[in-house]
Structure formats: structure tokens, C-alpha cells
Amino acid sequence: MSPFTTTLIEWGATLLSLYGFWLCIQHRSICFVVFLVADLGWFVSAYVNFHPSLLAQQSVYILLNIVGYIMWRREERLRQELERYESRRLKNPDDEAKVLISNPEI
């Protein structure tokens, strides 16, 4: 791979990393996908330029991006379910009173 191509990959990875941080600040789970693409770019650069420490670091980052995305999406789904439950509960407050009357230990 030519030095010019490697430099383009590195700058692309840098710009994607900055964009990923912006998305992270906005609490968007898609930031992990952007970070993943950026880290893949750094991984390629490290491989082509024979940088074993950077290669190891980017391998860990890639794994953390996948785990982070999965965990963040799981939290989003749980939050959505809780919001749906709360909205149903607010629409039917009598249902909650019935549950409390039938089970006073709650």
C-alpha cells in the first residue's frame, strides 16, 4: 500500500473518531459503529506499517466497540420498555390501585 493511501486511511480514521466522539456526546449508540469503522482504519494502518502495539490496541478497541454497541442497545430497549409500561400505568391508574389492594405488601 502506498504511503499516500495509508495517510488517507489515517486521516479518514481520525475524522471518523472525532465524529464518533460528537455522536457519543449526544448519547447516540451509532457512535460505536463510527468508532468501529475508524478503528478498522487504524488497524489497517498498523498492519501495513508493522506497528504491533497499535495493532493490539486497535484489536481491543474493535472488541470494545462491539460490546459497547450491544450493551448500549440493550439499555435503550429496556428504557423503551419501561417508558411504555409507565405510560400504560399512567393511562390506567385504577389498575395499579387494584394491584395494591389485592397485594398490600407492595
Side-chain angles (χ1 to χ4, degrees), residues 4-79:
F4 178 74
T5 305
T6 304
T7 301
L8 280 179
I9 290 171
E10 289 172 353
W11 275 108
T14 299
L15 294 173
L16 283 171
S17 293
L18 293 172
Y19 182 58
F21 277 112
W22 177 250
L23 291 172
C24 187
I25 289 168
Q26 295 179 334
H27 300 275
R28 305 281 307 269
S29 62
I30 194 74
C31 70
F32 289 104
V33 176
V34 174
F35 282 138
L36 177 65
V37 174
D39 290 336
L40 286 170
W42 284 112
F43 184 89
V44 168
S45 173
Y47 181 79
V48 168
N49 292 310
F50 307 106
H51 296 296
S53 61
L54 185 58
L55 200 58
Q57 178 189 30
Q58 294 309 313
S59 298
V60 171
Y61 283 177
I62 289 167
L63 178 65
L64 291 174
N65 285 320
I66 294 168
V67 170
Y69 180 77
I70 291 168
M71 291 178 69
W72 196 316
R73 292 295 297 162
R74 185 183 312 157
E75 280 185 29
E76 283 181 349
R77 283 193 298 271
L78 288 173
R79 190 187 76 248

Side-chain angles (χ1 to χ4, degrees), residues 80-93:
Q80 289 170 355
E81 286 296 320
L82 180 61
E83 288 172 355
R84 238 184 313 223
Y85 172 76
E86 290 290 326
S87 69
R88 273 189 265 137
R89 196 181 79 175
L90 292 174
K91 287 179 185 175
N92 301 317

